[in-house]
Amino acid sequence: MLGGYMGKMLWVHLDTGAIEEQTVSEALQHDFIGGYGIGARLLYDHVPATADALSPENVLGFMTGPLTGTMTPTGTRWTVVCKSPLTDGWGDANGSGFFAVALKRAGYDGIFFTGVAPRPVYLYLEDGKAELRDASALWGWDCYQVEDWVKETLGRDVEAACIGPAGEKLVRIAGIVHHKGRVAARSGVGAVMGAKRLKLVAARGNLTIPVADPEGMRQLYKKYAGQIKSGVGFSNFYRKTGTPGYTSIGAVNGDSPVRNWRDSVAHFQGAENLEFEELLKYRVQRKACWHCPIACWGTCQLEYAGRPFEAHQPEYETGAAFGPLLMNSYYPSIIAANDLCNRYGLDTISAGSCIAFAFECYEAGVIGPGDTDGLELRWGNHTAMNQLLEKIARREGIGDFLAEGVQRATERLGAAARPFAIHIGGQELPMHDPRYEPAMGVIYRMDATPGRHTQACQFIVPPGYASDRPGFGEEPHKQAGRGHWVKEALCLHHVSSTAGLCLFGYLSMMVTALPEFISATWGHPFTLQDMMITGERIANVRQAFNVRAGINPLTWSIPERAYGIPALPDGPTAGIRVQIEQMTQEFLRDMGWTADTAVPRPEVLRRLGLDDIARDLWH
Ligand code: SF4
């Protein structure tokens, strides 16, 4: 067995309560690393192609990576995998904090849940032992109540990931929440957990994570933690402000979508109200995930609408989704929205997008005051924004069909609502505009989890990586050839993510950090070239999962306004139209996927050792 793994995974069969241990083979570790790499390989075999995402046939997995809990700076990520109830295809999401390390130290590299429990349950893990316990008394509680209960009842050293009322009510934009604000948010993973009647996973761990070369790891830590402290890559940005430092910048440079993607930033008043210094007025503590030298997040204390509360500070995505997207620049209301999402267990990107969709439907008369229980869904009305958010989380009134996500809500409202539904394949778009960085348009369409900004590392070149790739947002009118860079960006990032590294750490150390830490952890050489091949293998398994589910991303409608159809008349991205078909074909050629169906060709699958999948897709 390679170093960095506990060597065991669990299969928890919720229908019967049976718990099985699975040993992890070295081949699986070597070829798929961990996280959604191993997750995709296993779910390809275990989830039937026709399974409904909210049915007992779906499998929900919690995975760690080999670097999780080692001396690798920012090795803190836990990844949730399943079939997505938003896209009906491959789904994954990841969060940071302390949970992944506790899960691993409890003795497990990953946990997979099958079936549906007859009553609400939770899984408790401790030092190689696992027990399913009754969670009926916790059903209906919000994520803060669950977190407090875990610490008071199970112990201060127990870490947990849970769903709130949104996941319980099968809200398709629900996430899974740890530590009151470290959230695996996307792909609707919280709804899948709710469908399984699984309220939380809790872990206490004291076991040692074996690494092959402990002294080598100590030396690497010294070298790369030193790089983080000396300002390599984006480390100064993440250390000084974290992503909220970009909230006002994105609202000026054209990266943040405005008024449900309809207008340019020239029409958004109040970007200065979203500057980091404004957030600092409410921040009470800067915080870090497990042993992280970056410490990019923090907590705020304030009062909004007569309600005093303490909450995690909103990341850039949240600030943009409840800010410029809704023509809102009142920071306390954005922090309050973040707080509500974390309490109820909602994805902030999708929640802001559903509300923007509703605001535009209201403006166009597709829905009226009679549909909204009197809420005035007008741009900039942050009171209505937060009230509607609660309705979505509780599936009350109009919130019931918005809880289905914008794609399904549009099916209910009809053709008049279609131009306002900004999603790809059912997943609401994140807050980076393809008119600002056109390659994001390809990533949003062609990754197996569509509409994701973190995939392909947001097209950012990792520090020290020799590449002619244009910088993020650089010369967006020069689009020919940009699609060729997406494969490289995607494959490198798949390894970072599946190894358990935080994206912010990946961008704050030289690119050599990842293969060097993996080599020392594994006790087996792993090079940059290996990163490309392994990342490509992972990309192909995820894509194969979608192909077998009947998904062809080339048939998805593109949300036209987000791709510059028509182009914006003003602002920094005026006149930009994303050449999506040209860049998509560049990407497909490089990947060796078919030009009209995006199916991986058999020779590509065989080169990557995926012969069984080649037989499945090309029989
Ligand atoms: S960079 Fe931020 S999110 Fe990433 S591990 Fe460190 S503190 Fe957590």
Side-chain angles (χ1 to χ4, degrees), residues 74 76-77 96-97 182 287-289 292 294-297 502 504-505:
T74 80
T76 65
R77 289 272 158 176
S96 58
R182 309 326 292 165
K287 293 209 166 184
C289 300
C292 177
I294 294 178
C296 75
W297 51 282
C502 177
F504 306 157

Side-chain angles (χ1 to χ4, degrees), residues 266-352:
H267 298 261
F268 178 64
Q269 310 298 319
E272 67 280 4
N273 299 333
L274 301 178
E275 283 175 5
F276 186 64
E277 288 64 35
E278 290 298 312
L279 179 65
L280 282 181
K281 291 178 183 167
Y282 310 104
R283 192 161 91 167
V284 288
Q285 222 179 348
R286 179 180 170 206
K287 293 209 166 184
C289 300
W290 184 82
H291 286 229
C292 177
I294 294 178
C296 75
W297 51 282
T299 50
C300 301
Q301 242 175 27
L302 66 158
E303 188 174 313
Y304 172 76
R307 179 174 75 91
F309 63 97
E310 181 168 341
H312 283 227
Q313 68 187 30
E315 301 288 341
Y316 161 74
E317 296 294 325
T318 308
F322 291 107
L325 193 71
L326 292 162
M327 304 300 281
N328 174 34
S329 66
Y330 186 49
Y331 230 138
S333 71
I334 294 170
I335 304 170
N338 193 41
D339 176 56
L340 289 176
C341 287
N342 290 340
R343 282 177 193 272
Y344 283 107
L346 278 176
D347 171 6
T348 58
I349 296 173
S350 288

Side-chain angles (χ1 to χ4, degrees), residues 466-518:
S467 173
D468 298 333
R469 199 193 311 169
F472 179 71
E474 195 184 310
E475 301 189 294
H477 50 283
K478 290 191 185 162
Q479 297 182 24
R482 241 173 164 98
H484 285 306
W485 299 114
V486 173
K487 176 183 176 183
E488 167 195 286
L490 208 58
C491 294
L492 290 172
H493 178 252
H494 280 328
V495 172
S496 165
S497 192
T498 55
L501 198 70
C502 177
L503 174 66
F504 306 157
Y506 176 57
L507 291 176
S508 298
M509 299 180 278
M510 298 300 272
V511 71
T512 46
L514 191 51
E516 287 181 16
F517 274 114
I518 291 179

Side-chain angles (χ1 to χ4, degrees), residues 276-548:
F276 186 64
E277 288 64 35
E278 290 298 312
L279 179 65
L280 282 181
K281 291 178 183 167
Y282 310 104
R283 192 161 91 167
V284 288
Q285 222 179 348
R286 179 180 170 206
K287 293 209 166 184
C289 300
W290 184 82
H291 286 229
C292 177
I294 294 178
C296 75
W297 51 282
T299 50
C300 301
Q301 242 175 27
L302 66 158
E303 188 174 313
Y304 172 76
R307 179 174 75 91
F309 63 97
E310 181 168 341
H312 283 227
Q313 68 187 30
E315 301 288 341
Y316 161 74
E317 296 294 325
T318 308
F322 291 107
L325 193 71
L326 292 162
M327 304 300 281
N328 174 34
S329 66
Y330 186 49
Y331 230 138
S333 71
I334 294 170
I335 304 170
N338 193 41
D339 176 56
L340 289 176
C341 287
N342 290 340
R343 282 177 193 272
Y344 283 107
L346 278 176
D347 171 6
T348 58
I349 296 173
S350 288
S353 301
C354 287
I355 293 170
F357 167 77
F359 274 28
E360 195 161 1
C361 285
Y362 189 87
E363 182 184 51
V366 178
I367 54 176
D371 302 305
T372 65
D373 296 329
L375 289 185
E376 291 276 328
L377 303 186
R378 300 202 187 283
W379 300 113
N381 184 349
H382 51 78
T383 306
M385 170 185 93
N386 274 301
Q387 288 171 338
L388 186 54
L389 190 52
E390 295 209 58
K391 283 182 175 292
I392 293 171
R394 295 185 187 138
R395 279 190 176 273
E396 279 176 10
I398 188 177
D400 187 34
F401 74 86
L402 292 173
E404 293 289 291
V406 296
Q407 181 182 41
R408 287 172 174 80
T410 306
E411 283 160 15
R412 167 126 169 220
L413 291 175
R418 205 163 292 137
F420 316 145
I422 310 301
H423 70 91
I424 291 195
Q427 177 71 76
E428 294 76 18
L429 290 199
M431 301 296 113
H432 298 283
D433 197 320
R435 292 165 290 195
Y436 180 75
E437 174 43 68
M440 295 308 293
V442 183
I443 296 163
Y444 289 168
R445 184 192 206 188
M446 296 310 300
D447 185 73
T449 50
R452 290 284 288 278
H453 64 291
T454 47
Q455 286 304 341
C457 197
Q458 215 179 302
F459 202 60
I460 296 170
V461 184
Y465 187 75
S467 173
D468 298 333
R469 199 193 311 169
F472 179 71
E474 195 184 310
E475 301 189 294
H477 50 283
K478 290 191 185 162
Q479 297 182 24
R482 241 173 164 98
H484 285 306
W485 299 114
V486 173
K487 176 183 176 183
E488 167 195 286
L490 208 58
C491 294
L492 290 172
H493 178 252
H494 280 328
V495 172
S496 165
S497 192
T498 55
L501 198 70
C502 177
L503 174 66
F504 306 157
Y506 176 57
L507 291 176
S508 298
M509 299 180 278
M510 298 300 272
V511 71
T512 46
L514 191 51
E516 287 181 16
F517 274 114
I518 291 179
S519 300
T521 300
W522 273 4
H524 178 87
F526 188 76
T527 63
L528 264 178
Q529 180 60 21
D530 294 329
M531 271 178 82
M532 282 301 295
I533 294 166
T534 307
E536 187 181 1
R537 185 180 297 114
I538 292 166
N540 275 274
V541 177
R542 293 163 93 243
Q543 181 65 7
F545 185 96
N546 280 355
V547 170
R548 217 184 38 170

